Structure formats: C-alpha cells, structure tokens
Amino acid sequence: MERLTTFLLAHRRRVLGAWVLLIVLGGVFAARLPSRIVPGGEAPASSQSEVVARALAHSPLPSLFVVIHVAPGTTHRQQAQLTSSVAAAALRVKGVTSVSPMPDTRPTQPGGAQVTVLNISTNGGTDGAVKTAHALSQSLPRAVPNGAAQVYVGGFGAYRDEITIDSQQSLERAERVGIPIVLIVLLITFGSIWAAALPLAIALTALVIGLGGVGVASYFLPMSDYVTNAASMIGLALGVDYAMFLVQRVRELTHSGRSVTDALHEAMRTTGSAVLWSGITVLMAESTLLLVDSRAIRSAAFAMVVVTLFALVTALLIGPVLICVLGSQVAPARRHAAQSRAARGWARWARHVTRHGPAWLIASAVVMVGLAVPAIKLHSSVSISSASSLPASSSVRQAYELAAEPSATARPR
C-alpha cells in the first residue's frame, strides 16, 4: 500500500485526469440507465408463473385493460363516441395488437353505467406489456376532450410500470433529503467543510461511475427496476465510510505532528489495508446474490457489486490524491478544542465499556435478540404485492377499483 501511495502522489495529475474522464463517461451512461430498465423478473425463470408468461408471450389473450370513466350527465351516444376514440387511439400505440370490449354487465342505476372497460392485447410478453402500458398511459388521456372523461390503464404491465416510476421518484426524494443529512453528520464529525465534503464527493463520484458501468452492462444484460435503488444505497454508504475512515486516520496522524504526506503513507498502510479487505469481504457477500434464480435480484446484485468496486477503488486511489492536494484544509496540524473534548469523551466511554465488558456484552445480546424475535414471524406477515399497495391517487389503482364496480360495462347500449 505504501508503494501504491507513492505512485499515486507522484502521478497525481494523471490520476485526477483519469478520474474526471471516468466521471464524465459514467454520467453519460448513468443518465441513460433509467430508460433501459426492464421491470419485473422477481420470480425464478423455472417458476410456473414465468413458464406460463413465456407460453402466453404471443397469445392474443388480453394483458391490459383500459377504463373510461365518463363525466356525470354524459349520454349513451357521447359515451360510445368517447369509447370509440379511446379504442382507436389505443390501436395506434406500438405493441397493441387488438382492442375488444369486455362482456356487458348490468347497470346498477337506471341512468346506465358511467364506466367503460376495454381489453387490450399486446405482444412481447410481460416486458412488452410493461412498455405498452407506459405508452398507453401517456397517449390515451389526450384522446378525449378535457373534462369529458378520465382514462386509466390497468393490468400487471401497468402496475409494474407505475412501481418503476414510483421507485425512481422515491429514490430522487430520498437523495434530496439524505445527502444533506450525510453532509451535516460529516460536518459534526470533522468540524471542517473540506474534510466533510471530501468523503461525500468521493462517494457521489464513485456512484456516478458505478452506475455508468451498470448502464454499459444494460446494453447486454437486462436490468431490473431495483438496480438504481440498491446501487445508490450501497454506493453512498460504502463510499462515504471508506473515505471517512481514511480522512479520519490522516487527521489523527497530522494532529500528532506528522506531515500530510507521511500521514498518508501510514494511513494507507494501516487503514487503507483494512478498507481493502473490508471491500473484498463486501464484494464476496454481494456476489452470493448472483446465485439466486431471479433476474431482478441478480441484476440488483450485479449493480451492487459494480458500485461497491468503484467505491473501494475511488476511496483508495482518489482519496489519497485529494487529501494530498487539499493538504492542511483537510488535515490541519492542530486539533480543534471541540474535537479534543469529543476524543476524550470517546476515550472515557471505551474505558468504561472495557472495564464492564461482560455486563455490556450480556445487555447488548439481550437487546439484539429482542429486536430479532419479531423477524421469526416475518415470512407469514408479508402481504402479496397488488394494486391496493399503490397510493389512492394512483391511476392504476383507480383503474382496478373502477373496473371492479358492479356498474362497469364494456360499452353503452
């Protein structure tokens, strides 16, 4: 590790240049990754559901349905015209092979039904149904005049499409909240904006490069909608941790009077080696998920492995160079008074725990067992995912609920 550190510091400009190039290339492919996501694939390829799905891939049976909810006061003739417009618009969508009305149901009110349901047949199996559902949800609302009717798309393909969109939006919201929280925690830990920003910068850039690598692989391998969530969670956590360990060790050594360069060599020899073996252990653990017979889990595992690898490499190759470039702004020679008090506090706590080791060991074991007990019955309390798990405002959930109403009908009389 010391020879590696010497090499990195001697060629710091080339190392930083290669890092910037990888960030740019990774950003390009990472930006294209969401459009190449293939929803579904949770079930094993050998499962009965997947066997049936493959057998029905080219079947004329409907895989989606469209619900047309007309405004109150709409006449039967107007409802028929709206239905015809929506059916014609659906047939123009790529992937739709046929549109047919569902069998009539008896209206519960004398005024007639206010809901029309159409069956939609698609090609391409489950994956094709997901893509077609997305296209239908974008185009069909424009096929009716404003306020004349509400159009909803239902079916498993529509459900998977909405789950994918919701997961991507949730990830964006989590990142907007989580990244500032991480920065605040690092500021409290180091008491320096430069020392706090460096681990976060390493983690974010490693995540971009890692997702870029996954984006390149998506041209050859199908990637599920769990990829970005799993990769972001693992990439940010490990990137921040590995870089933070290195920064903290260098700061401790500079506080004891060493130069930044000497502190880097010593930190890489000790903490750097620990980070390396920690990363290898994590990579081996994540790789075991590749043995699971599920396309979704395998692709998520592949993304985690790639992002973990780049988080480890970025922390060990870019971290020392950035610390050397920033110098005393990251690792000052003197420790702040508040940091000294915190260090003394942690030292007192460590002495207290070691003096009362058996008691703390028993107490910790009791707490851990208590937290683990509810997991025994977890398998029996997990509910099957369905449209009812979507928000009440979800268009797919509304499609199911409206289609299930006893007044729903295929076409007005």
Side-chain angles (χ1 to χ4, degrees):
M1 295 299 286
E2 290 187 77
R3 287 197 297 268
L4 174 63
T5 307
T6 303
F7 175 83
L8 293 173
L9 299 185
H11 301 85
R12 66 188 71 177
R13 291 185 179 181
R14 293 181 181 179
V15 172
L16 291 177
W19 180 49
V20 173
L21 179 61
L22 285 175
I23 293 172
V24 174
L25 292 176
V28 171
F29 286 100
R32 298 176 182 176
L33 179 59
S35 63
R36 304 194 61 81
I37 292 297
V38 180
E42 292 89 349
S46 59
S47 67
Q48 294 184 7
S49 61
E50 287 297 306
V51 172
V52 172
R54 288 195 297 271
L56 297 177
H58 303 287
S59 169
L61 295 175
S63 55
L64 301 171
F65 64 89
V66 172
V67 176
I68 308 167
H69 189 204
V70 299
T74 304
T75 65
H76 291 306
R77 183 175 181 179
Q78 291 172 331
Q79 188 173 356
Q81 291 175 345
L82 290 171
T83 301
S84 299
S85 299
V86 173
L91 282 171
R92 291 193 294 268
V93 173
K94 183 180 179 181
V96 175
T97 57
S98 67
V99 178
S100 60
M102 289 183 68
D104 288 345
T105 56
R106 192 172 183 178
T108 58
Q109 297 180 358
Q114 296 295 309
V115 173
T116 300
V117 183
L118 299 175
N119 284 326
I120 306 292
S121 298
T122 64
N123 56 22
T126 303
D127 295 343
V130 174
K131 295 179 181 179
T132 305
H134 183 79
L136 288 170
S137 64
Q138 298 294 317
S139 60
L140 293 189
R142 297 194 294 267
V144 298
N146 292 333
Q150 298 292 327
V151 181
Y152 306 101
V153 181
F156 180 74
Y159 169 75
R160 289 302 314 172
D161 178 60
E162 185 147 333
I163 287 291
T164 301
I165 295 174
D166 287 347
S167 65
Q168 292 174 351
Q169 293 175 346
S170 299
L171 177 62
E172 293 173 359
R173 289 195 297 269
E175 289 175 345
R176 287 196 296 268
V177 175
I179 291 176
I181 292 176
V182 171
L183 181 59
I184 292 173
V185 171
L186 291 172
L187 278 171
I188 295 174
T189 301
F190 294 124
S192 166
I193 185 64
W194 290 105
L198 193 145
L200 189 59
I202 288 177
L204 290 175
T205 55
L207 178 60
V208 170
I209 298 171
L211 287 177
V214 176
V216 172
S218 68
Y219 286 88
F220 309 97
L221 303 171
M223 296 295 169
S224 74
D225 45 356
Y226 301 108
V227 164
T228 51
N229 295 54
S232 298
M233 175 182 62
I234 294 295
L236 282 176
L238 294 180
V240 169
D241 280 353
Y242 291 158
M244 184 177 65
F245 294 153
L246 194 60
V247 170
Q248 178 63 23
R249 181 57 177 159
V250 171
R251 286 166 63 88
E252 289 177 354
L253 292 170
T254 56
H255 292 160
S256 63
R258 296 201 184 187
S259 67
V260 174
T261 302
D262 291 341
L264 272 172
H265 281 84
E266 179 64 18
M268 287 291 287
R269 187 181 65 82
T270 54
T271 305
S273 298
V275 167
L276 175 61
W277 286 108
S278 172
I280 292 174
T281 303
V282 173
L283 286 170
M284 293 176 62
E286 292 171 344
S287 298
T288 59
L289 293 175
L290 296 172
L291 302 176
V292 178
D293 186 16
S294 169
R295 187 188 69 191
I297 295 179
R298 283 179 176 175
S299 60
F302 175 80
M304 289 190 292
V305 168
V306 172
V307 171
T308 299
L309 178 62
F310 279 105
L312 179 63
V313 171
T314 305
L316 293 180
L317 299 186
I318 307 300
V321 175
L322 290 179
I323 293 173
C324 182
V325 170
L326 295 174
S328 60
Q329 292 177 316
V330 171
R334 293 185 178 182
R335 190 192 301 267
H336 193 273
Q339 293 175 324
S340 299
R341 289 194 297 271
R344 290 194 294 270
W346 284 114
R348 287 194 298 270
W349 173 253
R351 288 193 294 269
H352 170 75
V353 171
T354 53
R355 281 198 303 267
H356 305 84
W360 278 107
L361 180 61
I362 295 173
S364 301
V366 170
V367 171
M368 295 298 291
V369 171
L371 293 174
V373 165
I376 297 176
K377 298 182 179 180
L378 184 62
H379 67 281
S380 60
S381 60
V382 175
S383 60
I384 299 176
S385 181
S386 65
S388 61
S389 62
L390 296 172
S393 59
S394 163
S395 61
V396 175
R397 178 172 177 174
Q398 292 181 54
Y400 276 98
E401 292 175 349
L402 288 171
E405 290 181 359
S407 61
T409 181
R411 53 181 180 271
R413 296 180 183 275

PDB file of all heavy atoms in Angstrom, residues 257-290:
ATOM      1  N   GLY A 257       1.595  15.612  14.767  1.00  0.00           N
ATOM      2  CA  GLY A 257       2.813  16.279  14.319  1.00  0.00           C
ATOM      3  C   GLY A 257       3.380  15.805  12.997  1.00  0.00           C
ATOM      4  O   GLY A 257       4.373  16.341  12.518  1.00  0.00           O
ATOM      5  N   ARG A 258       2.787  14.824  12.358  1.00  0.00           N
ATOM      6  CA  ARG A 258       3.303  14.339  11.089  1.00  0.00           C
ATOM      7  C   ARG A 258       2.854  15.233   9.932  1.00  0.00           C
ATOM      8  O   ARG A 258       1.812  15.898  10.004  1.00  0.00           O
ATOM      9  CB  ARG A 258       2.822  12.917  10.832  1.00  0.00           C
ATOM     10  CG  ARG A 258       3.330  11.905  11.843  1.00  0.00           C
ATOM     11  CD  ARG A 258       3.246  10.526  11.245  1.00  0.00           C
ATOM     12  NE  ARG A 258       3.639   9.498  12.204  1.00  0.00           N
ATOM     13  CZ  ARG A 258       3.785   8.222  11.893  1.00  0.00           C
ATOM     14  NH1 ARG A 258       3.583   7.829  10.643  1.00  0.00           N
ATOM     15  NH2 ARG A 258       4.145   7.335  12.810  1.00  0.00           N
ATOM     16  N   SER A 259       3.628  15.194   8.854  1.00  0.00           N
ATOM     17  CA  SER A 259       3.230  15.913   7.640  1.00  0.00           C
ATOM     18  C   SER A 259       2.109  15.148   6.947  1.00  0.00           C
ATOM     19  O   SER A 259       1.879  13.967   7.222  1.00  0.00           O
ATOM     20  CB  SER A 259       4.420  16.060   6.697  1.00  0.00           C
ATOM     21  OG  SER A 259       4.822  14.788   6.206  1.00  0.00           O
ATOM     22  N   VAL A 260       1.415  15.827   6.027  1.00  0.00           N
ATOM     23  CA  VAL A 260       0.308  15.191   5.324  1.00  0.00           C
ATOM     24  C   VAL A 260       0.799  13.995   4.510  1.00  0.00           C
ATOM     25  O   VAL A 260       0.164  12.938   4.488  1.00  0.00           O
ATOM     26  CB  VAL A 260      -0.400  16.221   4.414  1.00  0.00           C
ATOM     27  CG1 VAL A 260      -1.463  15.531   3.563  1.00  0.00           C
ATOM     28  CG2 VAL A 260      -1.031  17.327   5.244  1.00  0.00           C
ATOM     29  N   THR A 261       1.958  14.131   3.877  1.00  0.00           N
ATOM     30  CA  THR A 261       2.487  13.031   3.060  1.00  0.00           C
ATOM     31  C   THR A 261       2.826  11.822   3.911  1.00  0.00           C
ATOM     32  O   THR A 261       2.476  10.678   3.577  1.00  0.00           O
ATOM     33  CB  THR A 261       3.723  13.500   2.285  1.00  0.00           C
ATOM     34  OG1 THR A 261       3.384  14.621   1.464  1.00  0.00           O
ATOM     35  CG2 THR A 261       4.260  12.384   1.406  1.00  0.00           C
ATOM     36  N   ASP A 262       3.520  12.041   5.036  1.00  0.00           N
ATOM     37  CA  ASP A 262       3.848  10.928   5.928  1.00  0.00           C
ATOM     38  C   ASP A 262       2.585  10.297   6.500  1.00  0.00           C
ATOM     39  O   ASP A 262       2.491   9.064   6.631  1.00  0.00           O
ATOM     40  CB  ASP A 262       4.739  11.412   7.068  1.00  0.00           C
ATOM     41  CG  ASP A 262       6.132  11.787   6.580  1.00  0.00           C
ATOM     42  OD1 ASP A 262       6.502  11.348   5.469  1.00  0.00           O
ATOM     43  OD2 ASP A 262       6.838  12.521   7.307  1.00  0.00           O
ATOM     44  N   ALA A 263       1.614  11.146   6.846  1.00  0.00           N
ATOM     45  CA  ALA A 263       0.359  10.634   7.397  1.00  0.00           C
ATOM     46  C   ALA A 263      -0.384   9.791   6.363  1.00  0.00           C
ATOM     47  O   ALA A 263      -0.986   8.760   6.704  1.00  0.00           O
ATOM     48  CB  ALA A 263      -0.515  11.800   7.852  1.00  0.00           C
ATOM     49  N   LEU A 264      -0.326  10.190   5.100  1.00  0.00           N
ATOM     50  CA  LEU A 264      -0.982   9.416   4.047  1.00  0.00           C
ATOM     51  C   LEU A 264      -0.353   8.030   3.899  1.00  0.00           C
ATOM     52  O   LEU A 264      -1.058   7.022   3.767  1.00  0.00           O
ATOM     53  CB  LEU A 264      -0.911  10.168   2.721  1.00  0.00           C
ATOM     54  CG  LEU A 264      -2.032  11.160   2.439  1.00  0.00           C
ATOM     55  CD1 LEU A 264      -1.731  11.982   1.192  1.00  0.00           C
ATOM     56  CD2 LEU A 264      -3.359  10.415   2.278  1.00  0.00           C
ATOM     57  N   HIS A 265       0.971   7.978   3.904  1.00  0.00           N
ATOM     58  CA  HIS A 265       1.648   6.681   3.786  1.00  0.00           C
ATOM     59  C   HIS A 265       1.283   5.761   4.950  1.00  0.00           C
ATOM     60  O   HIS A 265       1.010   4.568   4.758  1.00  0.00           O
ATOM     61  CB  HIS A 265       3.161   6.884   3.728  1.00  0.00           C
ATOM     62  CG  HIS A 265       3.655   7.317   2.378  1.00  0.00           C
ATOM     63  ND1 HIS A 265       3.642   8.627   1.978  1.00  0.00           N
ATOM     64  CD2 HIS A 265       4.165   6.599   1.332  1.00  0.00           C
ATOM     65  CE1 HIS A 265       4.135   8.706   0.737  1.00  0.00           C
ATOM     66  NE2 HIS A 265       4.459   7.497   0.335  1.00  0.00           N
ATOM     67  N   GLU A 266       1.269   6.297   6.162  1.00  0.00           N
ATOM     68  CA  GLU A 266       0.942   5.491   7.329  1.00  0.00           C
ATOM     69  C   GLU A 266      -0.535   5.081   7.318  1.00  0.00           C
ATOM     70  O   GLU A 266      -0.880   3.934   7.638  1.00  0.00           O
ATOM     71  CB  GLU A 266       1.251   6.278   8.600  1.00  0.00           C
ATOM     72  CG  GLU A 266       0.920   5.550   9.896  1.00  0.00           C
ATOM     73  CD  GLU A 266       1.754   4.296  10.111  1.00  0.00           C
ATOM     74  OE1 GLU A 266       2.816   4.156   9.448  1.00  0.00           O
ATOM     75  OE2 GLU A 266       1.340   3.449  10.914  1.00  0.00           O
ATOM     76  N   ALA A 267      -1.410   6.013   6.924  1.00  0.00           N
ATOM     77  CA  ALA A 267      -2.842   5.709   6.891  1.00  0.00           C
ATOM     78  C   ALA A 267      -3.148   4.644   5.847  1.00  0.00           C
ATOM     79  O   ALA A 267      -3.957   3.731   6.086  1.00  0.00           O
ATOM     80  CB  ALA A 267      -3.640   6.977   6.601  1.00  0.00           C
ATOM     81  N   MET A 268      -2.506   4.720   4.692  1.00  0.00           N
ATOM     82  CA  MET A 268      -2.744   3.714   3.658  1.00  0.00           C
ATOM     83  C   MET A 268      -2.197   2.346   4.086  1.00  0.00           C
ATOM     84  O   MET A 268      -2.765   1.303   3.739  1.00  0.00           O
ATOM     85  CB  MET A 268      -2.106   4.154   2.342  1.00  0.00           C
ATOM     86  CG  MET A 268      -2.845   5.290   1.653  1.00  0.00           C
ATOM     87  SD  MET A 268      -4.450   4.774   1.012  1.00  0.00           S
ATOM     88  CE  MET A 268      -3.952   3.776  -0.389  1.00  0.00           C
ATOM     89  N   ARG A 269      -1.111   2.345   4.846  1.00  0.00           N
ATOM     90  CA  ARG A 269      -0.524   1.086   5.295  1.00  0.00           C
ATOM     91  C   ARG A 269      -1.433   0.385   6.301  1.00  0.00           C
ATOM     92  O   ARG A 269      -1.505  -0.860   6.324  1.00  0.00           O
ATOM     93  CB  ARG A 269       0.843   1.334   5.924  1.00  0.00           C
ATOM     94  CG  ARG A 269       1.608   0.060   6.273  1.00  0.00           C
ATOM     95  CD  ARG A 269       2.948   0.396   6.913  1.00  0.00           C
ATOM     96  NE  ARG A 269       2.789   1.051   8.202  1.00  0.00           N
ATOM     97  CZ  ARG A 269       2.570   0.402   9.341  1.00  0.00           C
ATOM     98  NH1 ARG A 269       2.484  -0.935   9.357  1.00  0.00           N
ATOM     99  NH2 ARG A 269       2.450   1.062  10.479  1.00  0.00           N
ATOM    100  N   THR A 270      -2.121   1.164   7.130  1.00  0.00           N
ATOM    101  CA  THR A 270      -2.960   0.582   8.180  1.00  0.00           C
ATOM    102  C   THR A 270      -4.450   0.622   7.783  1.00  0.00           C
ATOM    103  O   THR A 270      -5.048  -0.406   7.465  1.00  0.00           O
ATOM    104  CB  THR A 270      -2.741   1.346   9.488  1.00  0.00           C
ATOM    105  OG1 THR A 270      -2.974   2.763   9.261  1.00  0.00           O
ATOM    106  CG2 THR A 270      -1.318   1.168   9.993  1.00  0.00           C
ATOM    107  N   THR A 271      -5.010   1.814   7.789  1.00  0.00           N
ATOM    108  CA  THR A 271      -6.438   1.949   7.475  1.00  0.00           C
ATOM    109  C   THR A 271      -6.740   1.542   6.044  1.00  0.00           C
ATOM    110  O   THR A 271      -7.777   0.928   5.770  1.00  0.00           O
ATOM    111  CB  THR A 271      -6.895   3.402   7.716  1.00  0.00           C
ATOM    112  OG1 THR A 271      -6.569   3.784   9.049  1.00  0.00           O
ATOM    113  CG2 THR A 271      -8.387   3.544   7.497  1.00  0.00           C
ATOM    114  N   GLY A 272      -5.851   1.885   5.112  1.00  0.00           N
ATOM    115  CA  GLY A 272      -6.075   1.516   3.717  1.00  0.00           C
ATOM    116  C   GLY A 272      -6.165   0.011   3.531  1.00  0.00           C
ATOM    117  O   GLY A 272      -7.017  -0.487   2.785  1.00  0.00           O
ATOM    118  N   SER A 273      -5.308  -0.727   4.208  1.00  0.00           N
ATOM    119  CA  SER A 273      -5.358  -2.191   4.122  1.00  0.00           C
ATOM    120  C   SER A 273      -6.660  -2.733   4.705  1.00  0.00           C
ATOM    121  O   SER A 273      -7.268  -3.668   4.152  1.00  0.00           O
ATOM    122  CB  SER A 273      -4.166  -2.798   4.859  1.00  0.00           C
ATOM    123  OG  SER A 273      -2.944  -2.387   4.265  1.00  0.00           O
ATOM    124  N   ALA A 274      -7.099  -2.135   5.820  1.00  0.00           N
ATOM    125  CA  ALA A 274      -8.363  -2.566   6.425  1.00  0.00           C
ATOM    126  C   ALA A 274      -9.543  -2.288   5.492  1.00  0.00           C
ATOM    127  O   ALA A 274     -10.453  -3.118   5.353  1.00  0.00           O
ATOM    128  CB  ALA A 274      -8.557  -1.861   7.760  1.00  0.00           C
ATOM    129  N   VAL A 275      -9.537  -1.119   4.858  1.00  0.00           N
ATOM    130  CA  VAL A 275     -10.596  -0.778   3.910  1.00  0.00           C
ATOM    131  C   VAL A 275     -10.597  -1.739   2.729  1.00  0.00           C
ATOM    132  O   VAL A 275     -11.655  -2.186   2.258  1.00  0.00           O
ATOM    133  CB  VAL A 275     -10.430   0.683   3.433  1.00  0.00           C
ATOM    134  CG1 VAL A 275     -11.311   0.967   2.215  1.00  0.00           C
ATOM    135  CG2 VAL A 275     -10.767   1.654   4.554  1.00  0.00           C
ATOM    136  N   LEU A 276      -9.413  -2.085   2.239  1.00  0.00           N
ATOM    137  CA  LEU A 276      -9.307  -3.002   1.103  1.00  0.00           C
ATOM    138  C   LEU A 276      -9.937  -4.352   1.439  1.00  0.00           C
ATOM    139  O   LEU A 276     -10.753  -4.880   0.663  1.00  0.00           O
ATOM    140  CB  LEU A 276      -7.842  -3.184   0.717  1.00  0.00           C
ATOM    141  CG  LEU A 276      -7.553  -4.213  -0.379  1.00  0.00           C
ATOM    142  CD1 LEU A 276      -8.242  -3.822  -1.680  1.00  0.00           C
ATOM    143  CD2 LEU A 276      -6.044  -4.380  -0.577  1.00  0.00           C
ATOM    144  N   TRP A 277      -9.586  -4.932   2.570  1.00  0.00           N
ATOM    145  CA  TRP A 277     -10.125  -6.235   2.932  1.00  0.00           C
ATOM    146  C   TRP A 277     -11.603  -6.149   3.278  1.00  0.00           C
ATOM    147  O   TRP A 277     -12.367  -7.102   3.017  1.00  0.00           O
ATOM    148  CB  TRP A 277      -9.338  -6.830   4.094  1.00  0.00           C
ATOM    149  CG  TRP A 277      -7.992  -7.321   3.657  1.00  0.00           C
ATOM    150  CD1 TRP A 277      -6.779  -6.769   3.930  1.00  0.00           C
ATOM    151  CD2 TRP A 277      -7.736  -8.461   2.820  1.00  0.00           C
ATOM    152  NE1 TRP A 277      -5.771  -7.472   3.326  1.00  0.00           N
ATOM    153  CE2 TRP A 277      -6.330  -8.527   2.633  1.00  0.00           C
ATOM    154  CE3 TRP A 277      -8.546  -9.411   2.209  1.00  0.00           C
ATOM    155  CZ2 TRP A 277      -5.742  -9.517   1.870  1.00  0.00           C
ATOM    156  CZ3 TRP A 277      -7.954 -10.400   1.448  1.00  0.00           C
ATOM    157  CH2 TRP A 277      -6.570 -10.444   1.284  1.00  0.00           C
ATOM    158  N   SER A 278     -12.018  -5.024   3.832  1.00  0.00           N
ATOM    159  CA  SER A 278     -13.446  -4.834   4.078  1.00  0.00           C
ATOM    160  C   SER A 278     -14.216  -4.823   2.763  1.00  0.00           C
ATOM    161  O   SER A 278     -15.280  -5.447   2.638  1.00  0.00           O
ATOM    162  CB  SER A 278     -13.680  -3.522   4.832  1.00  0.00           C
ATOM    163  OG  SER A 278     -15.062  -3.229   4.911  1.00  0.00           O
ATOM    164  N   GLY A 279     -13.681  -4.105   1.772  1.00  0.00           N
ATOM    165  CA  GLY A 279     -14.340  -4.059   0.475  1.00  0.00           C
ATOM    166  C   GLY A 279     -14.396  -5.422  -0.195  1.00  0.00           C
ATOM    167  O   GLY A 279     -15.412  -5.796  -0.798  1.00  0.00           O
ATOM    168  N   ILE A 280     -13.320  -6.193  -0.089  1.00  0.00           N
ATOM    169  CA  ILE A 280     -13.300  -7.534  -0.677  1.00  0.00           C
ATOM    170  C   ILE A 280     -14.347  -8.426  -0.010  1.00  0.00           C
ATOM    171  O   ILE A 280     -15.059  -9.195  -0.675  1.00  0.00           O
ATOM    172  CB  ILE A 280     -11.896  -8.148  -0.545  1.00  0.00           C
ATOM    173  CG1 ILE A 280     -10.900  -7.386  -1.436  1.00  0.00           C
ATOM    174  CG2 ILE A 280     -11.918  -9.627  -0.919  1.00  0.00           C
ATOM    175  CD1 ILE A 280      -9.463  -7.829  -1.263  1.00  0.00           C
ATOM    176  N   THR A 281     -14.479  -8.298   1.308  1.00  0.00           N
ATOM    177  CA  THR A 281     -15.486  -9.083   2.026  1.00  0.00           C
ATOM    178  C   THR A 281     -16.899  -8.723   1.573  1.00  0.00           C
ATOM    179  O   THR A 281     -17.745  -9.599   1.351  1.00  0.00           O
ATOM    180  CB  THR A 281     -15.354  -8.855   3.540  1.00  0.00           C
ATOM    181  OG1 THR A 281     -14.021  -9.185   3.959  1.00  0.00           O
ATOM    182  CG2 THR A 281     -16.345  -9.699   4.308  1.00  0.00           C
ATOM    183  N   VAL A 282     -17.153  -7.419   1.437  1.00  0.00           N
ATOM    184  CA  VAL A 282     -18.478  -6.970   0.985  1.00  0.00           C
ATOM    185  C   VAL A 282     -18.751  -7.472  -0.435  1.00  0.00           C
ATOM    186  O   VAL A 282     -19.855  -7.929  -0.747  1.00  0.00           O
ATOM    187  CB  VAL A 282     -18.577  -5.436   1.053  1.00  0.00           C
ATOM    188  CG1 VAL A 282     -19.875  -4.947   0.425  1.00  0.00           C
ATOM    189  CG2 VAL A 282     -18.492  -4.958   2.495  1.00  0.00           C
ATOM    190  N   LEU A 283     -17.754  -7.396  -1.296  1.00  0.00           N
ATOM    191  CA  LEU A 283     -17.926  -7.866  -2.673  1.00  0.00           C
ATOM    192  C   LEU A 283     -18.259  -9.354  -2.712  1.00  0.00           C
ATOM    193  O   LEU A 283     -19.124  -9.791  -3.489  1.00  0.00           O
ATOM    194  CB  LEU A 283     -16.660  -7.595  -3.480  1.00  0.00           C
ATOM    195  CG  LEU A 283     -16.402  -6.143  -3.880  1.00  0.00           C
ATOM    196  CD1 LEU A 283     -15.001  -5.993  -4.464  1.00  0.00           C
ATOM    197  CD2 LEU A 283     -17.443  -5.685  -4.899  1.00  0.00           C
ATOM    198  N   MET A 284     -17.584 -10.134  -1.888  1.00  0.00           N
ATOM    199  CA  MET A 284     -17.860 -11.580  -1.851  1.00  0.00           C
ATOM    200  C   MET A 284     -19.269 -11.842  -1.338  1.00  0.00           C
ATOM    201  O   MET A 284     -19.971 -12.722  -1.865  1.00  0.00           O
ATOM    202  CB  MET A 284     -16.823 -12.284  -0.979  1.00  0.00           C
ATOM    203  CG  MET A 284     -15.413 -12.263  -1.550  1.00  0.00           C
ATOM    204  SD  MET A 284     -14.188 -13.009  -0.449  1.00  0.00           S
ATOM    205  CE  MET A 284     -14.801 -14.697  -0.366  1.00  0.00           C
ATOM    206  N   ALA A 285     -19.695 -11.095  -0.322  1.00  0.00           N
ATOM    207  CA  ALA A 285     -21.050 -11.287   0.219  1.00  0.00           C
ATOM    208  C   ALA A 285     -22.109 -10.907  -0.818  1.00  0.00           C
ATOM    209  O   ALA A 285     -23.112 -11.610  -0.988  1.00  0.00           O
ATOM    210  CB  ALA A 285     -21.221 -10.460   1.490  1.00  0.00           C
ATOM    211  N   GLU A 286     -21.900  -9.794  -1.506  1.00  0.00           N
ATOM    212  CA  GLU A 286     -22.864  -9.370  -2.524  1.00  0.00           C
ATOM    213  C   GLU A 286     -22.903 -10.343  -3.693  1.00  0.00           C
ATOM    214  O   GLU A 286     -23.966 -10.561  -4.293  1.00  0.00           O
ATOM    215  CB  GLU A 286     -22.507  -7.968  -3.024  1.00  0.00           C
ATOM    216  CG  GLU A 286     -22.687  -6.884  -1.988  1.00  0.00           C
ATOM    217  CD  GLU A 286     -22.115  -5.555  -2.444  1.00  0.00           C
ATOM    218  OE1 GLU A 286     -21.316  -5.540  -3.407  1.00  0.00           O
ATOM    219  OE2 GLU A 286     -22.473  -4.528  -1.840  1.00  0.00           O
ATOM    220  N   SER A 287     -21.780 -10.934  -4.015  1.00  0.00           N
ATOM    221  CA  SER A 287     -21.716 -11.853  -5.158  1.00  0.00           C
ATOM    222  C   SER A 287     -22.557 -13.102  -4.931  1.00  0.00           C
ATOM    223  O   SER A 287     -22.986 -13.738  -5.902  1.00  0.00           O
ATOM    224  CB  SER A 287     -20.270 -12.255  -5.434  1.00  0.00           C
ATOM    225  OG  SER A 287     -19.480 -11.129  -5.771  1.00  0.00           O
ATOM    226  N   THR A 288     -22.808 -13.465  -3.688  1.00  0.00           N
ATOM    227  CA  THR A 288     -23.629 -14.655  -3.438  1.00  0.00           C
ATOM    228  C   THR A 288     -25.055 -14.458  -3.947  1.00  0.00           C
ATOM    229  O   THR A 288     -25.737 -15.441  -4.269  1.00  0.00           O
ATOM    230  CB  THR A 288     -23.667 -14.980  -1.936  1.00  0.00           C
ATOM    231  OG1 THR A 288     -24.217 -13.868  -1.207  1.00  0.00           O
ATOM    232  CG2 THR A 288     -22.273 -15.281  -1.406  1.00  0.00           C
ATOM    233  N   LEU A 289     -25.516 -13.215  -4.037  1.00  0.00           N
ATOM    234  CA  LEU A 289     -26.866 -12.962  -4.551  1.00  0.00           C
ATOM    235  C   LEU A 289     -26.977 -13.278  -6.039  1.00  0.00           C
ATOM    236  O   LEU A 289     -28.083 -13.443  -6.559  1.00  0.00           O
ATOM    237  CB  LEU A 289     -27.255 -11.496  -4.311  1.00  0.00           C
ATOM    238  CG  LEU A 289     -27.436 -11.073  -2.855  1.00  0.00           C
ATOM    239  CD1 LEU A 289     -27.706  -9.580  -2.774  1.00  0.00           C
ATOM    240  CD2 LEU A 289     -28.582 -11.848  -2.224  1.00  0.00           C
ATOM    241  N   LEU A 290     -25.845 -13.363  -6.719  1.00  0.00           N
ATOM    242  CA  LEU A 290     -25.876 -13.723  -8.133  1.00  0.00           C
ATOM    243  C   LEU A 290     -26.311 -15.171  -8.336  1.00  0.00           C
ATOM    244  O   LEU A 290     -26.665 -15.565  -9.451  1.00  0.00           O
ATOM    245  CB  LEU A 290     -24.496 -13.509  -8.763  1.00  0.00           C
ATOM    246  CG  LEU A 290     -23.986 -12.064  -8.798  1.00  0.00           C
ATOM    247  CD1 LEU A 290     -22.536 -12.026  -9.261  1.00  0.00           C
ATOM    248  CD2 LEU A 290     -24.861 -11.212  -9.716  1.00  0.00           C
TER     249      LEU A 290
END
